Amino acid sequence: MPPSSLTISYAGEKGPVFWLALRTSILTVLTLGFYRFWAKTRLRRYYWSAIRPGGAPLEYVGDPLEKLLGFLVAVVFMAFYIGVVNLILMYFSFALLNANFAAYALSFLGLTPIIFFAQYRARRYILARTRWRGIRFGLEPGAWGYSWRSMIHWALTICTLGLTWPLTTLWLEKYRVSRTFYGDQRFVQGGSKGLLFGAMRHVYYAIGLGAIAGLMLYLYENPAWIVLFVLSGSWLIYGLAYWRAESFKRMTDAKQLGEMQFTAKPRPLRIIGIYALGGLVLNIVLFGLFFALLMVFAFIAGTADIENINLDLLESGGTAFLPVALMAYFLLLTLTRAITHAWITLPLAEHFAEVTEIVNTQNVAQIIQRDRDEFAEAEGFADALDVGAAI
């Protein structure tokens, strides 16, 4: 008989993903960015295959050529928008107000619904190209509905200074999850309106304490308020980690797929530890790179004393230093990306995967295949706007 529950194992390792991210980043730089679609596909395949519910790995079957063609389609649309719509807005802004600030504001406002549209379309493409046990995931059309709902919810969040952010998160998650399928089975996101407010409580407390401490420090300049203000910052860091862990737990516990249910127990301190260790490794590597570059500059400048490098010589020898500076810049970008993948993204994926369990899975073998979703632009708009198309 099929098992009644499935735990999720994780098979990813830091070393392989570091070298994969580094190689693909270098190839992306050498191809002036065109390889990014192949790089993203290779990384997703690695991450997906490392997540193994019940020992069966996820599969990502996205095609990088689909991404490239979709990106080109989106670029044509965005070129029309930027070239024509912004020109019209700029004309009327100068004609009516003799300034350009109105044109910039309206241009950004007009771009906002396209950003949310792109995020939903990117999620739909990713799910359509994801499989488990050979069965496809899928997301129903609804990008424009998600777009206008997101604008309303974000406006409400901004007007309330972030107090309704938990409600916004839940509402948008319900919209996305209620349209998500695995095979012929639809996901359901449960939970009442107040489900996530408790997950945000430490953030509220820390901000309140910081505001009080800052006000009292401004009025009385007592050193004790400085300590309290610093403590509020530490509390805020914990609060953000607690929000990420607890909101994931609460929404996961409220999800269903047919008779299947989900449980999760992520730990806030583990999340903080991952970011702290990843940041430490990143700073050590970048500091070493910076010191090595200083040595190179000192050698080119003709002195072994780093503190006495002749700046005039550096300026006069710009042609010699320019290639070194460009190489250092791109090396910095590629190393930062590779270290972030190996020491932050992968450990976070591992933690959230291993603390999640699927229960009531007796009927999982009865789920049947769904039709393949075709996409004309893949993740093109998200790539063109650089939103919602990350790993």
Side-chain angles (χ1 to χ4, degrees):
M1 293 181 62
S4 60
S5 65
L6 298 176
T7 58
I8 301 178
S9 59
Y10 195 85
E13 297 180 358
K14 293 184 177 67
V17 79
F18 173 82
W19 292 114
L20 177 60
L22 186 62
R23 289 196 306 271
T24 54
S25 297
I26 292 173
L27 289 173
T28 300
V29 171
L30 294 178
T31 58
L32 303 180
F34 278 97
Y35 192 77
R36 62 178 293 192
F37 308 103
W38 281 261
K40 186 183 300 181
T41 300
R42 293 180 63 184
L43 283 166
R44 279 185 184 158
R45 286 175 180 170
Y46 183 90
Y47 279 105
W48 266 235
S49 64
I51 301 174
R52 303 181 176 183
L58 296 177
E59 298 176 79
Y60 179 72
V61 295
D63 185 357
L65 190 59
E66 283 182 330
K67 296 181 177 63
L68 175 59
L69 295 178
F71 173 76
L72 296 177
V73 171
V75 165
V76 172
F77 174 84
M78 296 304 300
F80 172 81
Y81 174 81
I82 295 173
V84 177
V85 176
N86 283 4
L87 183 63
I88 295 173
L89 291 175
M90 195 67 69
Y91 170 78
F92 282 103
S93 180
F94 275 104
L96 299 176
L97 303 174
N98 197 27
N100 60 3
F101 66 89
Y104 286 125
L106 290 175
S107 177
F108 175 77
L109 186 62
L111 193 62
T112 302
I114 301 177
I115 291 175
F116 292 123
F117 170 87
Q119 290 176 338
Y120 188 92
R121 289 288 297 179
R123 182 186 179 102
R124 187 179 173 206
Y125 174 80
I126 291 172
L127 286 171
R129 299 298 181 263
T130 299
R131 298 177 182 178
W132 179 57
R133 301 176 70 251
I135 304 296
R136 301 185 187 98
F137 288 84
L139 181 64
E140 289 182 339
W144 287 119
Y146 178 78
S147 179
W148 70 260
R149 284 175 173 83
S150 297
M151 292 186 66
I152 293 175
H153 296 323
W154 270 93
L156 180 62
T157 300
I158 293 172
C159 291
T160 59
L161 301 179
L163 292 177
T164 59
W165 173 244
L167 188 59
T168 295
T169 301
L170 181 61
W171 276 346
L172 295 181
E173 182 72 1
K174 282 189 173 184
Y175 184 86
R176 294 187 297 258
V177 172
S178 65
R179 286 160 177 78
T180 301
F181 283 81
Y182 172 63
D184 64 335
Q185 296 292 311
R186 181 190 294 268
F187 280 88
V188 175
Q189 176 65 64
S192 62
K193 294 180 180 179
L195 178 69
L196 299 182
F197 279 97
M200 187 65 89
R201 63 178 183 270
H202 288 288
V203 174
Y204 294 148
Y205 296 156
I207 292 176
L209 179 62
I212 294 173
L215 178 61
M216 298 303 291
L217 182 62
Y218 175 77
L219 294 176
Y220 299 104
E221 298 183 358
N222 191 326
W225 295 113
I226 299 178
V227 176
L228 196 60
F229 187 79
V230 173
L231 289 176
S232 69
S234 301
W235 196 356
L236 179 61
I237 293 174
Y238 175 80
L240 293 173
Y242 182 84
W243 157 256
R244 184 164 185 179
E246 186 65 16
S247 62
F248 179 85
K249 176 185 181 302
R250 295 187 182 200
M251 287 191 293
T252 300
D253 292 348
K255 283 183 174 66
Q256 284 186 284
L257 176 65
E259 297 181 359
M260 289 190 290
Q261 296 176 322
F262 305 85
T263 62
K265 298 179 181 179
R267 301 185 299 276
L269 293 180
R270 174 59 177 157
I271 295 174
I272 294 174
I274 290 172
Y275 277 105
L277 181 59
L280 178 62
V281 172
L282 183 61
N283 284 314
I284 290 174
V285 172
L286 295 184
F287 177 79
L289 177 62
F290 177 74
F291 182 78
L293 290 174
L294 283 181
M295 294 295 293
V296 172
F297 288 154
F299 177 78
I300 296 176
T303 175
D305 188 358
I306 296 176
E307 296 181 355
N308 296 317
I309 294 178
N310 191 325
L311 296 180
D312 293 332
L313 183 59
L314 290 177
E315 294 177 359
S316 62
T319 55
F321 287 99
L322 182 59
V324 177
L326 287 175
M327 290 178 60
Y329 172 74
F330 288 115
L331 181 60
L332 175 68
L333 289 181
T334 55
L335 278 176
T336 300
R337 184 168 182 261
I339 293 171
T340 301
H341 273 290
W343 292 93
I344 296 179
T345 306
L346 185 137
L348 284 174
E350 179 180 15
H351 177 63
F352 280 98
E354 292 182 341
V355 298
T356 304
E357 184 179 3
I358 311 173
V359 298
N360 297 333
T361 58
Q362 295 90 338
N363 298 324
V364 66
Q366 299 178 10
I367 297 176
I368 62 176
Q369 185 67 285
R370 61 180 283 109
D371 294 335
R372 175 182 168 88
D373 293 328
E374 300 296 341
F375 286 83
E377 81 283 355
E379 299 171 271
F381 284 98
D383 277 314
L385 296 169
D386 198 24
V387 295
I391 299 301

